[in-house]
Amino acid sequence: MTIVEHKWSALPVPYAIEVPDRVRKERYYDPDFYALEAELLWPRVWQMACRLEEIPKAGDFAEYQILDQSVVVLRTEDRGVLAFQNTCRHRGVRLVEGRGTRRGGFVCPFHGWCYGTDGRNTRVTQAGAFSEHNLQPGDVDLTPVRCETWGGCAWINLDDAAPPLRECLEPVATVLDAWKVESLRAEWWYACRLPVNWKLAQEAFVEQYHVLQSHPQLRIPGRYPGRDPADFDPRAFLDAELHYLRTMSEGMGGMVHRTDVAIAEGLAEIELPADYARARAMWDRTLNDAVSRAHAERGCAVPDLNELDELGLNQPMAYGFPHFFVLPMYSSASGYRFRPLGPEETLMEIWSLTRFPEGDEPETPPVPEAWEHDDPRWPPIPAQDFSNLPRQQLGLHARSFEYMRLSERNEGHISNFHRLVDGFLAGLSYEKLLPALRQVNVNPLEMPVADMEF
Ligand code: FES
Ligand SMILES: [Fe+2]
C-alpha cells in the first residue's frame, strides 16, 4: 500500500470520525481499514502479552501473537523479563510455540542455530559454510522487543520510540496500583472466538446502557429507591443487594468472587437505616470493610476499599488501550483481552483474578482453547453479550445503515476510543497521542464524549 510510505506524517484516515457521536460502519469490516490498523496502530501500542504467573521461573517463556507477529516473552535469571521476535535469524523459522521452559536458551528446530536467554546467538551449526557478512555479531542475535512488567502482566511494544508503558497507561495505572492489582492471580482463563471486529467485541463491555435490556436478571427490584421515600424497605434492599452479588458471581463466572459473596451473606443481619441514601452508604461501607478485613486476615495483599472510595480510586472498570481491561469488584476482578484474527473475527479472553495468601497460589491455568461464542459452557452474562455481537456485526452490513448513533453521555468512551484509533492511523506523534490516551485509559463506564485535543 502506498500509504505506508508516508507512515509518520499526518495521513488522511478513511472513514474517520467526523462527528464525535457517530461511528461509520466500515471501520468494523473494511479490509483496508483493518490493514491500516495492522500497519499504524498495533505496532505502536503497549500490549498485554502474558500474565506473569505464566512465566514464574527463570527460563519460562510464553508466546504472544498479534496479527502475523509472534513475540516470545521470557523470564531470565538476572535481567528480569525480556522479549524477542520469535524468529530464527537463519531462515526465519519460529523458535517456540505456546508456553514452556528453555533454561539453556533456544535451539532452532530446522538447522540447530542456538540462542541464549539474552537472545544472543551462541551457535551457528557448520559456521564455516557461511560467508562473513551473514555471520556478523549482533545481526544473528534474536531481535529484541520492548518489554515491561506492570500489574501482574508482561507488556510488549513493537515500537522502540514509544513512551514507557507507565506513561501510556495513566491514569488507570495509578488507580489499579492503589487497588493492588499486581497481587491478583488467575483462577481460570477462558477464550472465545467471536465472528466480529475486535473493536465491536470490546464495545459490548464498556458501557452500562445495555445492561437492563441485555441482562434482565440484573434488574433487581428493591436495589434502588422508589418514587415515594416512605416506601423504602431496608430489609428488601439488603436482600436485593445479596441477590445482586450472587447473580453477578454466578453470571460472570466469579467476577464477584464467591469468598466475597460469603462475606456479604455473613452481614445479612445488620440493621440498615430506613432512608435509601443512608442505607446504601452504610451497606457499601460495611461490606467494603468486611471484605478488606477478611482477606487481610487470610494473609492476602488487599487494599482498604473504604480508603480507596474516599480517594475516588475504587472504580468498577479500568481500561488499557487498545485491547485490555480489568473489572474490579471488591477483592477480585475479571480481566479481558481482545485480539483481531481478521476484519470480522476476534479472539477474546477472560481471566478470573483473585487474591491468595503468599505461598498458597493455585496452579497457573493452561492456555485456553477458544470456545465458540454460543458454547453452553459460557456463564450467563457473557453468553448474553456474545449472543448480541454476531447479530450486530451482520446488521452493520445493511445497505441503509451508515453509522452508529452514540449516546454522548452513556457511550462517550466508544467515541473517545475511535478518535484515538484515528490519531494512530493518522500517524500522529506520541506527544499528541499521550493526552488522548489519558482520556481513554480510565473507567469507561460513565465517560462522556471527551475533547481529544487533536
Ligand atoms: S531456520 Fe533456524 S537454524 Fe535454519
Ligand atoms: Fe454485558
Side-chain angles (χ1 to χ4, degrees), residues 204-205 207 210-211 214-215 381 385:
F205 301 90
E207 43 86 359
H210 77 285
V211 171
S214 294
H215 310 299
I381 293 177
D385 295 311

Side-chain angles (χ1 to χ4, degrees), residues 277-291:
R278 285 172 51 226
R280 154 73 55 208
M282 183 171 166
W283 170 244
D284 288 347
R285 243 197 121 66
T286 309
L287 179 54
N288 278 345
D289 185 56
V291 166

Side-chain angles (χ1 to χ4, degrees), residues 28-29 34 194-197 341-346 393-394 397:
Y28 298 98
Y29 58 76
Y34 183 80
L194 283 162
V196 308
N197 182 266
L341 299 176
E344 298 185 73
E345 194 172 16
T346 294
Q393 184 73 33
L394 292 171
H397 288 270

Side-chain angles (χ1 to χ4, degrees), residues 399-415:
R399 282 172 178 273
S400 65
F401 189 82
E402 327 85 326
Y403 43 75
M404 298 192 184
R405 294 152 176 85
L406 300 179
S407 150
E408 214 190 336
R409 203 187 47 197
N410 294 323
E411 299 168 310
H413 174 81
I414 296 176
S415 163

Side-chain angles (χ1 to χ4, degrees), residues 63-320:
E63 181 195 8
Y64 173 69
Q65 290 188 17
I66 181 70
L67 303 165
D68 59 356
Q69 300 299 301
S70 169
V71 174
V72 48
V73 180
L74 172 83
R75 190 182 290 275
T76 65
E77 198 74 61
D78 48 2
R79 294 184 54 202
V81 178
L82 300 178
F84 305 101
Q85 291 193 12
N86 182 18
T87 288
C88 177
R89 296 291 291 171
H90 175 221
R91 274 168 62 189
V93 166
R94 283 199 179 163
L95 288 172
V96 294
E97 276 175 2
R99 209 155 81 179
T101 303
R102 295 283 188 282
R103 262 182 256 296
F106 304 98
V107 181
C108 180
F110 199 178
H111 311 92
W113 283 27
C114 298
Y115 303 91
T117 52
D118 57 359
R120 201 97 48 93
N121 186 305
T122 52
R123 181 162 183 254
V124 171
T125 41
Q126 300 174 37
F130 287 83
S131 62
E132 204 52 32
H133 68 250
N134 271 343
L135 292 178
Q136 289 305 304
D139 185 58
V140 289
D141 296 344
L142 297 182
T143 310
V145 171
R146 295 269 302 277
C147 181
E148 293 189 37
T149 58
W150 172 81
C153 304
W155 303 69
I156 61 104
N157 194 318
L158 294 165
D159 186 1
D160 289 337
L165 170 69
R166 182 74 195 218
E167 256 179 72
C168 295
L169 269 183
E170 289 294 10
V172 97
T174 295
V175 173
L176 287 177
D177 275 344
W179 189 67
K180 298 188 191 289
V181 72
E182 73 288 347
S183 310
L184 299 173
R185 292 290 174 275
E187 207 170 26
W188 52 252
W189 177 13
Y190 298 149
C192 182
R193 192 183 294 277
L194 283 162
V196 308
N197 182 266
W198 67 278
K199 301 183 293 301
L200 201 77
Q202 299 190 38
E203 287 161 24
F205 301 90
V206 297
E207 43 86 359
Q208 282 177 319
Y209 181 42
H210 77 285
V211 171
L212 290 183
Q213 182 66 33
S214 294
H215 310 299
Q217 72 276 34
L218 297 178
R219 213 184 296 163
I220 299 169
R223 283 194 74 212
Y224 296 98
R227 249 183 230 123
D228 183 355
D231 286 346
F232 180 69
D233 175 355
R235 193 67 251 164
F237 168 78
L238 188 49
D239 288 345
E241 282 299 302
L242 293 173
H243 180 64
Y244 169 74
L245 293 173
R246 285 186 211 109
T247 310
M248 284 297 282
S249 185
E250 287 154 22
M252 284 294 286
M255 186 174 119
V256 178
H257 199 269
R258 58 184 180 280
T259 56
D260 294 352
V261 177
I263 292 165
E265 283 168 339
L267 302 170
E269 298 310 317
I270 64 166
E271 291 290 332
L272 293 176
D275 163 76
Y276 172 76
R278 285 172 51 226
R280 154 73 55 208
M282 183 171 166
W283 170 244
D284 288 347
R285 243 197 121 66
T286 309
L287 179 54
N288 278 345
D289 185 56
V291 166
S292 296
R293 214 152 12 90
H295 289 280
E297 279 164 13
R298 288 168 64 219
C300 301
V302 62
D304 179 334
L305 292 171
N306 281 322
E307 203 177 287
L308 294 192
D309 260 347
E310 279 155 29
L311 297 168
L313 296 172
N314 193 12
Q315 299 183 3
M317 187 163 179
Y319 184 83

